[in-house]
């Protein structure tokens, strides 16, 4: 990547919270590869020692939330204080601030001589278009607590919309999120798909007749729907990778043809993806890195056809898309999938467009052109 404009620049990189190493943190790791001189800021930092490679082992400047009672377990319940917390940092000593935001950190304050580029993974989901779903899943549809929650989300929305102009350049992970940004902030965003490690995720083992899914066990990932569909097809084997709050509930409804492997490391994930007949996905996802990782292993994908998946799966050639998040729709997709022929080579080739080098080059160019256009 050409580093001309970035040389000698004082850079800060801000991330909402550092707790797990998920998709957003993979992007953060690559951003820090592009601007190795950057200082790292995050509301809280509870990243375990084993995952600190995502911040290149750098020290992290946290906010006052870090020291609040039970912050480690329930940092999310401090949501009402987050707007205040992200506004306390002083970025006057920096030429460039890059925020990696899925909640509040695109709202940091920068002066007229500091450029703010925000890579938005998603506008704060629960405050915008997923409010109804969030209230339903939290059991907050009725009563006093419900009204308090609605009031809080209304305040978060007003604050979030009000911070829209604080960003000089918007970047995002998919055309789907670009449409959300247009709705929430009235701004155009440049799409730079997240980096996928296609050099690591490669074909390499004999296929078994298994269907595989992998996800955090949280409601919007809809793992319960996948499990229910395969429980109703007892002659097919499903392997479920991942863990989370919904695990016990989902397990209770599963038939004997569904295996739960829990949290697996990267190597085990790759092994399962290589052996799988297909990878199954049911979430409305902003991008969905694991969907591309599966295809990089030459594995076709059976996915809910909405959100970022429409940009990563080609219906009929690298996978099958189904139209509704229902058991029937998914079962029909599995049958359709089984009636077709698939080319491992073709599927892998498609995934290679999302490689790490391309992310670095595009991101670097976006930073450089933003610096040129916004010269004080």
């Amino acid at each position: 990547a050409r580093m001309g404009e970035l040389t000698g620049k004082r850079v800060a990189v801000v991330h909402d919270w550092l707790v797990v190493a998920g998709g957003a943190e993979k992007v953060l790791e690559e951003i820090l590869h592009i601007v190795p001189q950057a200082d790292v800021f995050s509301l809280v930092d509870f990243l375990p020692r084993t995952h600190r490679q995502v911040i290149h082992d750098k020290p992290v400047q946290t906010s006052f939330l870090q020291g609040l009672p039970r912050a480690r377990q329930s940092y999310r319940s401090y949501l009402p204080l987050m707007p205040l917390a992200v506004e306390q940092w002083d970025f006057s000593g920096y030429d460039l601030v890059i925020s990696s935001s899925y909640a509040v950190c695109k709202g940091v304050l920068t002066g007229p001589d500091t450029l703010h580029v925000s890579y938005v993974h998603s506008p704060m989901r629960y405050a915008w278009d997923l409010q109804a779903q969030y209230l339903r899943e939290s059991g907050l549809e009725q009563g006093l607590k419900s009204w308090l929650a609605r009031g809080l989300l209304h305040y978060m929305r007003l604050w979030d919309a009000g911070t829209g102009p604080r960003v000089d350049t918007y970047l995002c992970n998919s055309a789907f999120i670009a449409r959300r940004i247009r709705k929430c902030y009235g701004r155009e965003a440049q799409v730079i798909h997240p980096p996928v490690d296609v050099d690591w995720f490669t074909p390499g083992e004999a296929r078994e007749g298994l269907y595989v899914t992998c996800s955090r066990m949280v409601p919007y990932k809809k793992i319960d729907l996948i499990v229910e569909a395969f429980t109703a097809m007892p002659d097919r084997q499903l392997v479920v990778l991942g863990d989370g709050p919904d695990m016990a509930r989902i397990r209770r409804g599963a038939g004997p043809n569904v295996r739960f492997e829990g949290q697996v490391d990267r190597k085990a994930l790759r092994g399962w993806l290589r052996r799988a007949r297909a990878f199954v996905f049911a979430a409305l996802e902003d991008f969905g890195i694991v969907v591309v990782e599966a295809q990089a292993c030459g594995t076709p994908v059976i996915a809910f056809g909405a959100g970022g998946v429409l940009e990563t799966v080609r219906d009929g050639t690298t996978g099958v898309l189904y139209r509704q998040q229902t058991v029937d729709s998914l079962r029909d997709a599995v049958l359709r999938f089984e009636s077709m022929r698939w080319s491992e080579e073709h599927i892998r080739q498609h995934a290679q467009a999302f490689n790490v080098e391309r992310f670095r080059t595009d991101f670097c160019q976006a930073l450089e052109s933003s610096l040129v256009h916004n010269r004080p």
Side-chain angles (χ1 to χ4, degrees):
R2 303 181 343 280
M3 301 294 287
E5 286 290 328
L6 289 166
T7 319
K9 291 278 188 285
R10 293 159 303 173
V11 184
V13 172
V14 196
H15 193 68
D16 287 300
W17 46 79
L18 289 163
V19 181
V20 295
E25 288 70 33
K26 284 184 186 148
V27 174
L28 175 68
E29 186 176 354
E30 285 308 321
I31 291 173
L32 289 171
H33 192 95
I34 295 162
V35 284
Q37 73 270 41
D39 295 330
V40 180
F41 293 77
S42 175
L43 288 174
V44 296
D45 171 18
F46 299 119
L47 260 190
R49 270 251 50 87
T50 47
H51 289 141
R52 300 195 78 79
Q53 81 284 349
V54 302
I55 47 169
H56 299 235
D57 284 315
K58 286 170 169 286
V60 176
Q61 304 200 36
T62 54
S63 72
F64 67 81
L65 297 181
Q66 181 84 9
L68 293 182
R70 293 184 59 80
R72 181 184 290 269
Q73 298 82 357
S74 41
Y75 62 92
R76 276 200 171 86
S77 55
Y78 288 119
L79 188 67
L81 295 176
M82 287 180 183
L84 180 67
V86 291
E87 292 174 344
Q88 300 313 308
W89 287 308
D90 175 12
F91 292 111
S92 56
Y94 293 93
D95 304 303
L96 170 64
V97 172
I98 302 168
S99 57
S100 151
S101 181
Y102 45 85
V104 294
C105 73
K106 67 160 241 317
V108 295
L109 300 173
T110 52
D113 293 341
T114 302
L115 179 70
H116 179 188
V117 175
S118 188
Y119 187 92
V120 176
H121 305 276
S122 171
M124 204 179 334
R125 286 194 196 89
Y126 20 87
W128 291 97
D129 51 333
L130 298 187
Q131 170 173 312
Q133 184 184 326
Y134 171 74
L135 293 170
R136 195 166 54 245
E137 286 160 3
S138 313
L140 288 169
E141 287 187 287
Q142 267 113 35
L144 177 64
K145 273 191 165 167
S146 170
W147 286 107
L148 287 172
R150 289 166 197 270
L152 164 63
L153 293 176
H154 176 68
Y155 151 75
M156 294 302 288
R157 226 172 358 258
L158 289 176
W159 176 80
D160 194 38
T163 64
R166 297 182 189 177
V167 174
D168 296 296
T169 302
Y170 278 99
L171 309 174
C172 65
N173 57 13
S174 61
F176 174 59
I177 292 300
R179 292 197 295 278
R180 267 191 178 154
I181 289 171
R182 195 175 304 132
K183 280 237 146 141
C184 301
Y185 313 130
R187 297 279 298 277
E188 294 305 311
Q190 181 189 341
V191 176
I192 300 179
H193 293 305
V196 179
D197 194 347
V198 296
D199 296 338
W200 163 264
F201 287 97
T202 53
E205 289 176 44
R207 298 278 163 194
E208 296 171 21
L210 305 162
Y211 290 87
V212 173
T213 188
C214 170
S215 167
R216 289 200 314 286
M217 304 276 163
V218 292
Y220 87 94
K221 298 286 190 180
K222 299 273 188 244
I223 298 298
D224 49 352
L225 185 140
I226 300 175
V227 168
E228 196 184 327
F230 277 85
T231 298
M233 298 186 283
D235 50 338
R236 293 175 181 78
Q237 298 295 311
L238 174 70
V239 176
V240 180
L241 312 175
D243 205 346
D246 287 2
M247 180 64 134
R249 182 176 64 78
I250 292 170
R251 259 198 136 121
R252 279 199 296 276
N257 60 322
V258 180
R259 272 173 67 182
F260 290 87
E261 290 285 322
Q263 200 59 51
V264 295
D265 64 14
R266 213 157 158 255
K267 196 167 184 184
L269 170 63
R270 181 175 68 174
W272 284 113
L273 292 176
R274 284 173 168 179
R275 294 194 296 277
R277 182 171 180 183
F279 180 76
V280 188
F281 198 71
L284 170 61
E285 198 52 275
D286 311 326
F287 179 78
I289 287 182
V290 68
V291 172
V292 184
E293 290 172 343
Q295 292 174 87
C297 293
T299 306
V301 174
I302 302 171
F304 172 50
V309 165
L310 293 172
E311 297 161 62
T312 59
V313 181
R314 290 214 180 107
D315 195 14
T317 57
T318 75
V320 169
L321 299 179
Y322 53 98
R323 296 282 156 243
Q324 282 149 337
Q325 278 174 316
T326 62
V327 169
D328 289 345
S329 192
L330 172 51
R331 282 173 64 188
D332 290 348
V334 171
L335 297 174
R336 200 166 100 232
F337 163 79
E338 289 177 351
S339 71
M340 296 163 75
R341 294 181 60 112
W342 302 93
S343 151
E344 190 177 90
E345 227 158 281
H346 180 88
I347 294 168
R348 165 144 179 91
Q349 206 181 337
H350 169 67
Q352 282 175 305
F354 299 96
N355 67 41
V356 172
E357 269 315 302
R358 177 227 28 108
F359 175 83
R360 287 181 186 171
T361 307
D362 293 356
F363 197 91
C364 207
Q365 278 175 343
L367 288 180
E368 303 219 313
S369 77
S370 191
L371 282 159
V372 169
H373 286 126
N374 294 285
R375 281 217 177 99

